[in-house]
Amino acid sequence: MAVEVGDGAPDFELRDQHGTPVKLSDFRGEKNVVLVFYPLAFSGVCTGELRRIRDEPPTSAGDDVQVLAVSVDSIFALRSWSDQEKFSFPLLSDFWPHGGTAQRYGVFDEGKGVAVRGTFIIDTEGVVRWKIVNAIPDARDIDEYRKALAGL
């Protein structure tokens, strides 16, 4: 079942590229969250998208936005990719149960075993305020994130 705008965002706890647990609910009352699901680390389109987020972070009024990027890669692959690309935001491993969080958000491609390009903007109350889902080969436009965050 897909998560829709206006729904409460399903909480999750995943480990980041350093092995540190990150819970979505830890940002409640503190920051808006840009939750970015992507297929695989080191792939061309994913690298381009996350580099753009790194170089031109999506923000709203102030410093109240946290980017969380999620893939089915292991924390070891994510650490290597993060170190190579100098990503400063958490890369979360949805490795086991395989794609479980992506499934809960309705963005898991069962046939390929990876997430599609789903993005959810979650406000400080934990409500999904905007979303877009692109097919695996179709890059997202970060300017759309900015417009959505400006409306919060």
Side-chain angles (χ1 to χ4, degrees):
M1 175 137 191
V3 173
E4 299 298 338
V5 171
D7 291 348
D11 198 18
F12 58 81
E13 181 176 310
L14 298 171
R15 295 198 177 273
D16 71 8
Q17 67 266 39
H18 304 288
T20 305
V22 176
K23 273 182 91 169
L24 177 63
S25 58
D26 287 345
F27 300 98
R28 203 162 286 152
E30 302 284 325
K31 293 188 175 210
N32 297 304
V33 174
V34 178
L35 181 60
V36 178
F37 290 91
Y38 61 96
L40 292 168
F42 295 102
S43 62
V45 176
C46 297
T47 299
E49 285 185 321
L50 269 63
R51 280 179 182 165
R52 183 135 188 241
I53 290 170
R54 175 197 65 200
D55 298 341
E56 304 170 43
T59 59
S60 60
D63 187 29
D64 64 345
V65 176
Q66 177 64 56
V67 172
L68 299 175
V70 181
S71 75
V72 298
D73 296 291
S74 73
I75 62 171
F76 307 106
L78 294 176
R79 175 67 183 264
S80 178
W81 193 40
S82 178
D83 288 351
Q84 175 182 307
E85 295 295 334
K86 310 281 189 265
F87 293 133
S88 59
F89 46 85
L91 302 181
L92 304 178
S93 175
D94 196 13
F95 186 75
W96 198 257
H98 188 75
T101 300
Q103 290 174 28
R104 290 178 62 212
Y105 277 78
V107 293
F108 189 72
D109 183 318
E110 292 282 342
K112 293 187 169 86
V114 298
V116 297
R117 297 181 193 284
T119 305
F120 300 82
I121 293 182
I122 302 161
D123 69 13
T124 58
E125 300 305 312
V127 176
V128 176
R129 294 297 176 193
W130 182 86
K131 83 173 219 181
I132 189 166
V133 178
N134 290 7
I136 290 173
D138 300 329
R140 293 164 278 207
D141 183 354
I142 196 170
D143 292 330
E144 292 179 20
Y145 303 2
R146 287 185 197 0
K147 290 176 192 170
L149 285 165
L152 293 182

